[in-house]
Amino acid sequence: MSPTAREVSWTAGGALILDGVSLRAEPGSTLGLLGPNGSGKSSLLRLLAGLRRPSAGAIDIDGQAMAAWSRRELARRIAVVEQQVSTEVDLTVAEVVALGRTPHRGGWGGSGPEDAEIIARALARTGLDGLGHRRWHGLSGGERQRAQIARALAQEPVELLLDEPTNHLDVAHQLELLALVRELPVTAVIALHDLNLAGMFCDELVVLAGGRVVAAGAPRDVLTADLVGEVYGVRCEVSAVDGIPHVRFMPPDRGDVRP
C-alpha cells in the first residue's frame, strides 16, 4: 500500500485549510493534485510527508498510522521536493544531491562508493552530470529545481511527493522531468498547475477547491470543460487524443474580465 488520507482536515491560524480530504495513491502510480492557488495542495503534500499532523482524520503508510513510523523510517521512504528551497550555505550541486543519502547513512555519517554511484546516477538522470562542481547560489531557478529533484532521487524513496516541480523549467525539461517520474519505481504524488501536463503524465487526478475534494478519477473523466470552468473560473474546450485529454483555454468574455 501507499499513503492514504482518510477524512483529513487541517487548520492553521484559525482558518480551515483542508476539510475532510480523502485520497489513496495506488502503488507505483502517479497521482496529480490539481486546484487553484490556496486550494490546499501544498498543505496536503506536507501532511502526506509527515511534516505536519492533521487536525482531524488520519494518514496511513502501508496500512499503519503515520505516527507509528519513526522520523528516520519516513525519511528513508518518502522524498519531498518543495516549490522553493533556499539556503544560506553555498553548497555545490553534488553536495545538495548528497543530502539525499543522509537517512541511509550509519551512525558515523560516512559515505561510501555506493553512495557516490547513486549520487552520480541521480545527477545524470536529471541532466546535471558534469555540473556537480557548480555552486548552488550560481544556479538558475530551473537548475536549482533539477538539483532538488536529483537529491530526492538519491534518497531512493518508495514515495515521491513533488510540489509544482515544473516551476522554472522550460518546456523540454518539464516533459523530461515528468516522463522520468513516471518511469521511476515509486508512488508519486505531484501538485501541478498545468492541466495538460497532468492529463498527459498522471494516472489519477484529485482536484481540490476550497480545501475539499471536488473531483477524483482518471484524467479523461476529471478534466472536463464544466469542471475547469467551475474550479478555475475560465472557459475552455477539452478534446482527447488516444485517451489523453487536452485543454484549450479560451479568452474571457469582456464581462468575465476582473477589474
Side-chain angles (χ1 to χ4, degrees), residues 20-33:
V21 171
S22 295
L23 65 79
R24 178 177 182 271
E26 293 293 330
S29 69
T30 299
L31 185 150
L33 293 180

Side-chain angles (χ1 to χ4, degrees), residues 3 33 41-52 61 66 71 73-85 96-97 99-100 103 136 144-165 181 186-191:
L33 293 180
K41 301 187 300 296
S42 296
S43 297
L44 180 55
L45 282 177
R46 293 189 181 103
L47 290 172
L48 292 173
L51 301 177
R52 292 173 176 169
I61 303 290
M66 181 164 281
R71 288 183 176 272
E73 288 172 331
L74 289 175
R76 283 182 169 180
R77 68 171 295 154
I78 300 177
V80 181
V81 177
E82 301 267 13
Q83 282 191 49
Q84 296 181 357
V85 178
V96 169
V97 177
L99 293 174
W136 173 263
R144 289 186 181 187
Q145 189 76 336
R146 286 155 61 197
Q148 286 300 319
I149 292 164
R151 173 198 53 77
L153 297 186
Q155 197 171 327
E156 295 190 306
V158 178
E159 288 90 22
L160 179 59
L161 311 180
L162 304 104
D163 194 358
E164 298 294 341
V181 171
V186 299
T187 302
V189 182
I190 311 177

